[in-house]
Amino acid sequence: MRSLVCSCRSLLVTFLLGFAAFAAAQTQPVRPLLTPDELVPLLRDPGVRVLDIRPAAEYATGHLPGAVNIPYGVFRGPADNPGALPSEQTLTEALRRAGIDQNVHVIVAHAGKDATDFGAAARVYWTLKVGGLTRLSVLDGGTLGWKEQGGALETAAVQSRPSTFTFHYDRRYALSTEDLAAQVRSPHPPVLVDARPEPFFRGDERHGAAARYGTLPGATSLSYAHFFNADGRTLKPVEELRTLVGREVPPAGKPTVTFCNTGHWAAIDWFVLSELLGRENVLLYPESVVAWSRRDLPMDHEPSRLQALAREAKRWFDQ
């Protein structure tokens, strides 16, 4: 009997310690950007899930220990409008299969090939946050950075216990074209930040799915590429980012909206301004210039018809 009592006490103590550890983990602040070294101890936490967003074929060749796979394409729209929001049902089903819910700390791992690739992780992070998840991080440098730091990779697919999470967009933070057009026409328009490279901002280049050249009216140019170290894959230190952003986009006391062609590069600008620098009321326009350019809406740096024809001819020859 005494041994049974001791055994029960031991089980109770183990349960209470485990519960206390879980509860403590839920109250610990979650950093939006993690280095491979910072990730290592977290992999032992059952409340952490690495979300590998590479294509399934790449995931199968080697992924972080315990990582589940939801390819980036699941979080994107169709080819003619990639920035469009996927349905809530699509994301609900994908996240349930991956065992993700509000209590899980999701660490997004992209391929890590270049700065543009970081945009995939930032867009997924933004989508999950707009859908109600709050415990989110991005692995700086992605899977490639993890491997280069000596991190182990696994090839076996990870099967998670399905969750019951239901994804719902918070439409206050997922601006539609109509929402943004109304704000731009208002007496107090938001600060618009164009995350694309300069040639797009100036109207010299356009995305293949965009109907017109140019940028949104009154926009400021702040290319996503400025945020990265010389390796072109990892983000600069926060204080350096703060100085850079302060020069280009001073705090204005009103909403800031980032955009690009399809809400991919814009997610990087949003991530830096909102998550790393802690600026308030920073929003992302997911469909961006591709959707805006198809409407009868004003654009800056839009070339004349003759200039546009010349640029179209150049595009044709370049391709």
Side-chain angles (χ1 to χ4, degrees), residues 19-277:
F19 180 80
F22 174 79
Q26 300 305 302
T27 59
Q28 289 296 315
V30 172
R31 297 181 60 184
L33 190 68
L34 297 173
T35 65
D37 286 343
E38 292 168 332
L39 174 60
V40 171
L42 296 177
L43 292 179
R44 297 190 292 268
D45 185 341
V48 168
R49 181 115 339 116
V50 176
L51 175 59
D52 189 321
I53 61 171
R54 297 174 299 160
E58 291 185 30
Y59 170 80
T61 64
H63 55 79
L64 273 73
V68 295
N69 181 228
I70 304 179
Y72 181 47
V74 174
F75 295 89
R76 299 290 275 166
D80 64 341
N81 189 12
L85 300 175
S87 72
E88 293 177 337
Q89 180 179 352
T90 294
L91 294 178
T92 294
E93 292 173 355
L95 294 171
R96 284 183 176 181
R97 285 195 301 270
I100 291 172
D101 61 23
Q102 299 95 323
N103 296 318
V104 173
H105 178 186
V106 181
I107 300 171
V108 184
H110 52 301
K113 298 173 183 176
D114 53 31
T116 287
D117 193 45
F118 188 97
R123 175 67 186 242
V124 170
Y125 179 112
W126 174 85
T127 303
L128 296 178
K129 185 169 184 178
V130 172
L133 299 179
T134 58
R135 299 178 61 76
L136 301 167
S137 302
V138 171
L139 176 60
D140 202 12
T143 302
L144 180 58
W146 169 265
K147 183 178 178 181
E148 290 177 345
Q149 291 292 318
L153 296 179
E154 300 177 347
T155 56
V158 175
Q159 300 297 325
S160 298
R161 182 179 180 181
S163 74
T164 58
F165 178 70
T166 299
F167 184 98
H168 290 299
Y169 288 108
D170 188 334
R171 296 291 173 174
R172 293 173 299 173
Y173 304 113
L175 288 174
S176 68
T177 300
E178 292 76 15
D179 293 335
L180 185 56
Q183 292 185 25
V184 168
R185 288 191 293 262
S186 73
H188 304 287
V191 176
L192 299 176
V193 178
D194 191 336
R196 301 175 300 169
E198 282 282 338
F200 288 95
F201 175 76
R202 294 194 306 264
D204 296 330
E205 295 183 12
R206 71 171 177 86
H207 187 278
R212 290 180 285 159
Y213 295 84
T215 188
L216 273 60
T220 295
S221 176
L222 182 56
S223 171
Y224 72 96
H226 295 318
F227 298 137
F228 291 84
N229 291 310
D231 62 10
R233 298 189 288 115
T234 57
L235 287 171
K236 293 176 178 178
V238 169
E239 287 310 311
E240 194 171 338
L241 294 173
R242 195 181 309 280
T243 299
L244 170 63
V245 171
R247 287 197 304 264
E248 303 297 332
V249 190
K254 54 184 178 178
T256 298
V257 178
T258 68
F259 69 93
C260 57
N261 289 316
T262 67
H264 179 99
W265 290 329
I268 301 174
D269 281 30
W270 172 86
F271 183 82
V272 170
L273 271 65
S274 173
E275 306 303 280
L276 296 186
L277 302 185

